[in-house]
Amino acid sequence: MRSYTLIAPAKINLYLEIIGDRHDGYHELAMILQSIELADQIDLEANDVQLIRLRSDSKEIPVDKSNLAYRAADLMVQEFPDSFATYGGVDITLHKRIPVAAGLAGGSTDAAAVLVGIDLLWKLGLTKSELEELAAQLGSDIPFCIGGGTAIATRRGEILSPLSGLGGIYIVLAKYRSLSVSTAWAYNTYRSLFGHTYIKDTENLAARGNAVHSGDIVQAITRQDATEIAQKMHNDLEKVVLPEYPQVLQLKESFAKYDILGTMMSGSGPSVFALCESQEKAEQVKLSMREEIPNMDLELFVTRLITHGIQVKSQFAI
């Protein structure tokens, strides 16, 4: 049997601006997405039973057809029926380390890894662009997770423009295990409160979506200036999530007490991260946060920004 083990990194948002409504009901967005070293491991093994079988070491996620990893495999079956008939089904095992329902694209990156893994298992030879096109059928974050690194994401988040990769900048990541924030709720609430500020003209939407290309934070990323990046970080969704979820606000306020470069909520939350000048400083901040908030429901991670997305860890063939 042929098998692959892949590493699927999480992502954070360094920038998230909501520009307006789209005709498809989604929001027009301008974001800067960033891969981090915190990652899941996905094992894929060919089977001879013409089935997709999914299992996980986490009891927090479903292992049925609602799981994005399963849906990614099913998409490959639908798109490449001849290869499915030739090579058979696939057994997928998810080893979860990325917190669930954390706004870190844990489900999206698992799905991206499945797309990459099945491409290898079935010897399809798909390009990165072709994999991203498939990924866009499943969700807005998944195309980014394929290649990862640092990228501007516009429209719904599926149109990507790579930036100079940021690597080696350390962060502390905090998330209450039992707390989740609905992404749909966050965006709908933002629309209800701030929809009057939206740009209505479609051409202006596109122009504003491209404006981030010349933004201050992009220049800071080009210069690899972690201090300036931290100063220019922005997330519109904090306006609705922080007032409604005091625990998320508490994390951001607690981080701000320490000598960090900057802190922000990632995506729609509830994860909050702090950029730090060094690994040593990040470890100190993590320890201080644990002492300040001894609640064991709080998960704390020290990780770093990386310049890649899905990677093959190992492969095996009989």
Side-chain angles (χ1 to χ4, degrees), residues 39-109:
D40 290 342
Q41 177 178 302
I42 291 81
D43 300 329
L44 291 97
E45 182 175 355
N47 64 43
D48 56 3
V49 293
Q50 302 296 119
L51 292 174
I52 301 167
R53 298 187 296 206
L54 177 65
R55 54 181 174 268
S56 171
D57 61 4
S58 171
K59 296 180 180 178
E60 296 181 78
I61 62 171
V63 290
D64 56 20
K65 294 181 180 181
S66 67
N67 190 295
L68 269 174
Y70 187 101
R71 290 169 55 196
D74 187 57
L75 176 63
M76 296 295 273
V77 171
Q78 302 305 317
E79 293 285 334
F80 305 101
D82 292 342
S83 297
F84 178 57
T86 300
Y87 292 103
V90 60
D91 291 332
I92 304 166
T93 303
L94 307 180
H95 303 278
K96 294 295 295 180
R97 184 158 181 264
I98 302 170
V100 175
L104 301 174
S108 294
T109 194

Side-chain angles (χ1 to χ4, degrees), residues 118-129:
I118 292 180
D119 172 51
L120 295 169
L121 276 176
W122 292 355
K123 301 180 182 179
L124 297 171
L126 299 175
T127 65
K128 177 172 172 284
S129 294

